[in-house]
Amino acid sequence: MKQLFLVLVLMLSANVSFIFAQEEAVEKQIDQIIDQLSLEEKVKMCHAQSKFSSPGVERLGIPEIWMSDGPHGVRAEIEWDSWSYAGWTNDSCTAFPALTALASTFNPALAHKYGVAVGEEARYRKKDILLGPGVNIYRTPLNGRNFEYMGEDPYLASIMSVPYIQGVQTNGVAACVKHYVLNNQEIWRSHINVQLSDRALHEIYLPAFKAAVEEGDVWSVMGAYNKYNGQHTSHHEVLIKQILKGDWGFDGVVVTDWGSAHDTKEAALNGLDIEMGTGTDGLTTSKENAYDYYYLAKPFLEMIKNGEIDESVVDDKVRRILRLMYRTNMDKTRPFGKKANAEHFQVAREVAQEGIILLKNSKSFLPINPETKQTIAVIGENATRMMTVGGGSSELKTVHEISPLQGIEERFTNANVVHAMGYASGPSVYDNVIPSGLDADSLQQAAVDVAKNADIVLFVGGLNKSHEQDCENGDRKGLNLPFGQDELLADIMAVNKNVAVVLVSGNAVAMPWQSKAKAIVQAWYLGSEAGYALADVLSGDVNPSGKLPFSFPVKLEDNGAHAFDELSYPGDGTDQVYKEDILVGYRWHDTKNIKPLYAFGHGLSYTSFKVNNAAVAITNYKKGDSIQLSVEITNTGKVDGAEVIQIYVHDKESSVMRPIKELKSFEKVGLNAGQSKKVDFNIDVNAFAFYDETQRDWNLESGAYQLLIGTASDKIIKTINIQVE
Ligand code: BGC
């Protein structure tokens, strides 16, 4: 046994030294390349040559870099120099569920599968950088881009994004974690100046980026549009130069968001490596090459030439760009990729199945038995609306998208499935069902008539991917459902008591009809297999196991960002102050004792679980220790299912304000009916520290802490007292 261990250690250390030697060899080759490049060639590598590529050096055989959105699939090809689609016929992809749905699975292994699959598609399409994942924190339910992110908790976002990144990068395709940082709203995104405490920055908004760098080894990072403390984030001295490249030792490439560079000298000196998407005074259609006017193009070259900027500055950028190339398009061993195959659609379906959340289920209203002969009325525009189109840069051209209606019709063949639109969001380019000759009243009346004669109503509504819904470049106007859905639901519920509501959205919504709904399902944007996955859950073929990655407030003001004046949200047009500070999401609800409509971590199942036992080996710890906690859980119901055990920490005595609880670990456990399992957790005591502004560092204070063990942030079942010295 000892010998085997020794052999393993030797093999491991041989492997580590081999990797070091390889890295050293690559760095030497990079030195040699840099020596051969002219100053002009080096500068050229630091900015775009088209909407989604940056130039190589033809003379030396250095390839171009090709990028693509991200993050839910590989976007259709865009024209060289305009935002129009290029019209290729071979660029349809698998649309994977939105990242909010992925976060809801609480299943990191599935995030890895997702990353591998989407990375394979990127590789097949000859992309070197996939622009994702998005890990901006869910601060307000109005943010138009929440659907592209991983929710309100920094730990959850970290744990779910790292395997996605690693999965993508196994293909020799760089992930590009975005948008660094504080792009937490779309309104005024290009200029709003965010101000917040250092503590909130480090405890809430930075951790997922830090994990992407330190644990995910991400090869590129995208800057954000907004400002922080008066400086644009894409070339921010503190954020990029000090924290990202300094403290975290990021050795990859910083890419701008498209058009987020604003100053040559700042961009050059504060660590921006590749500038993309800058609008050049209308020169994008000019006689001369507009890209030469980018901040990191001619103006940069001039400043180096006249000695204002040292040549070592561009050398560092080129070194990073070449390093990324050695990891991607100059790695001769990288795999070839795969596109839109059965395996990828299966991954998309699995993520969708596990991401769907059962919010409410009165008297086991769901699942609906597919054998029963009955009339099911499917009402709502989202039952038939394509949700892979729209939303901004994450829009996809997919091989197929199964609508909820199609999924339901194909699964419930014994039922009489009837459909009424009920409401229309108004003609938009994205509608695939445009009612002709119908107005709001007649749509509503038709739906009520259909509901009256049905045994069950499945209302499939929510938001959509149009401007000021779940869409880039605008925020929602309020928390309520749009297009008269609340009124319509009230009318439907007045004529039929058996109504289940399926919400297709990437955001929390208000639910004035909540108490009258028999069941509520949060179904996100689920991509290509949306309708199938939804039918899997509605029919009981799949037992729901998703958990909310963010809180649903009863009303907007119950959310921390909206509990203050306009300066907190959306800002005064120039500045914005995050007044809720570290109390984002459930941290706010818990600490201020404001009950949410649905809490972070909540999600029901068709079976029931019981946490029987939870115990730690010892109760006294010191810095650097790992707590060994074991939890025993049983599936006490009649069907197989999965539950997420969530471990929160409560600091009982602290010199600073602390949230009532903070997520520090979780594990999704699959259990057959009647089965019990013991689940072991290793929790790093250091993770209990807070960011101490006086020391500008993390501070783990001695004292009493509690481990709160539960199955939702508002369902704590066991509490264990521990002591940290
Ligand atoms: C978005 C990015 C995206 C880029 C390229 C920007 O508008 O903010 O997320 O990757 O466009 O499409």
Side-chain angles (χ1 to χ4, degrees), residues 45-238:
M45 290 172 74
C46 300
H47 61 267
Q49 62 168 4
S50 75
K51 283 281 177 247
F52 280 95
S53 71
S54 63
V57 182
E58 293 167 8
R59 182 176 70 84
L60 297 173
I62 296 171
E64 300 168 340
I65 293 179
W66 279 86
M67 315 179 190
S68 174
D69 287 302
H72 310 137
V74 184
R75 193 177 181 183
E77 300 299 325
I78 304 281
E79 281 192 352
W80 185 269
D81 202 17
S82 91
W83 281 106
S84 308
Y85 283 108
W88 292 19
T89 52
N90 60 349
D91 57 352
S92 300
C93 67
T94 306
F96 295 90
L99 291 194
T100 341
L102 177 63
S104 304
T105 68
F106 277 61
N107 183 345
L110 204 48
H112 188 260
K113 265 196 187 175
Y114 185 132
V116 169
V118 71
E120 282 178 346
E121 300 222 353
R123 174 68 189 99
Y124 190 88
R125 294 264 305 277
K126 300 187 168 56
K127 307 302 176 194
D128 308 307
I129 302 181
L130 181 71
L131 304 172
V135 297
N136 293 90
I137 289 293
Y138 187 112
R139 175 177 181 252
T140 153
L142 301 191
N143 178 14
R145 283 189 98 171
N146 281 333
F147 71 100
E148 291 185 67
Y149 304 142
M150 303 264 201
E152 72 188 18
D153 182 73
Y155 178 77
L156 176 68
S158 304
I159 295 292
M160 296 304 290
S161 56
V162 165
Y164 173 111
I165 291 165
Q166 291 169 333
V168 169
Q169 294 188 166
T170 55
N171 294 288
V173 172
C176 185
V177 66
K178 65 190 188 183
H179 310 87
Y180 186 72
V181 62
L182 303 170
N183 187 171
N184 302 109
Q185 66 187 43
E186 288 297 290
I187 180 170
W188 302 325
R189 69 174 180 179
S190 59
H191 64 265
I192 195 74
N193 178 32
V194 178
Q195 293 166 30
L196 77 171
S197 70
D198 277 357
R199 190 171 168 205
L201 180 70
H202 284 268
E203 287 189 21
I204 306 293
Y205 298 99
L206 288 181
F209 290 97
K210 188 177 186 204
V213 172
E214 293 186 343
E215 288 156 48
D217 281 323
V218 73
W219 296 335
S220 62
V221 173
M222 185 189 290
Y225 281 122
N226 49 284
K227 289 179 177 172
Y228 158 65
N229 276 354
Q231 197 170 43
H232 273 283
T233 48
S234 283
H235 35 72
H236 201 282
E237 188 176 356
V238 174

Side-chain angles (χ1 to χ4, degrees), residues 107 136 294 407 417 482 488 555 581:
N107 183 345
N136 293 90
Y294 273 34
V417 177
L488 175 63
K555 51 186 193 306
D581 198 47

